[in-house]
Amino acid sequence: MLNLTQRKPANPEAAAGLTLALTAFERTKSRHRLEIDSQPVSIHLPRGTVLRDGDLLAPAAGDLLVRVTAKPEPVLTVTAKTPLDLLRAAYHLGNRHVPVEIAPTYLRLSPDSVLKAMLEQLGVEVREEVAPFEPESGAYGHSH
């Protein structure tokens, strides 16, 4: 079994031998048992570790690198006609402590029918789609 115990920062130049696609939730778990290309893999990282798209994992010994990617998953993508409308939507989502991906032209969150209705009442456009989800890690470097 491949035992990955080290997290290294993203480095697009690094040659990774394997790629591991994980959802946003899976990237918040510090302990995993899974398979990559039918190979059993264990991830054992310090508690509270949040993996980001592009991060690298490595075993304690050896030079194998595994690149983490944000796995496409069901999300709600929020867009607005004006920046103020998008800011207002971000405020209301933050007020509910919802993990949100923030980009200059959109917000992205996990599907939730109550939040979708609230956002639509605010007058923003909400699309259901499948896309990589990279929520903010929070003001103190961890997620809720």
Side-chain angles (χ1 to χ4, degrees):
M1 174 178 290
L2 177 60
N3 190 20
L4 303 171
T5 58
Q6 297 181 39
R7 175 182 168 250
K8 299 178 183 273
N11 178 357
E13 311 282 316
L18 297 169
T19 300
L20 177 60
L22 299 171
T23 65
F25 176 73
E26 290 169 335
R27 292 191 313 273
T28 65
K29 295 174 66 179
S30 54
R31 308 285 191 273
H32 278 286
R33 282 198 187 260
L34 44 103
E35 287 188 2
I36 304 175
D37 298 333
S38 300
Q39 178 180 358
V41 176
S42 169
I43 298 175
H44 190 90
L45 300 170
R47 295 210 184 278
T49 300
V50 176
L51 297 171
R52 309 295 291 176
D53 184 59
D55 281 351
L56 298 167
L57 299 174
D63 56 358
L64 174 70
L65 292 175
V66 176
R67 187 174 317 278
V68 175
T69 62
K71 182 179 185 177
E73 59 186 289
V75 293
L76 298 178
T77 299
V78 181
T79 55
K81 292 179 181 157
T82 69
L84 181 59
D85 289 341
L86 196 60
L87 283 170
R88 187 174 286 115
Y91 169 81
H92 285 284
L93 291 169
N95 207 23
R96 285 154 182 81
H97 302 275
V98 175
V100 176
E101 177 179 338
I102 301 171
T105 59
Y106 69 86
L107 304 172
R108 189 168 282 157
L109 63 146
S110 294
D112 182 297
S113 59
V114 172
L115 293 176
K116 181 179 181 191
M118 176 203 69
L119 290 163
E120 290 171 341
Q121 282 186 321
L122 291 172
V124 295
E125 181 184 335
V126 183
R127 286 186 323 273
E128 295 180 25
E129 53 187 14
V130 175
F133 180 38
E134 191 75 46
E136 291 292 312
S137 60
Y140 302 102
H142 55 78
S143 43
H144 281 286

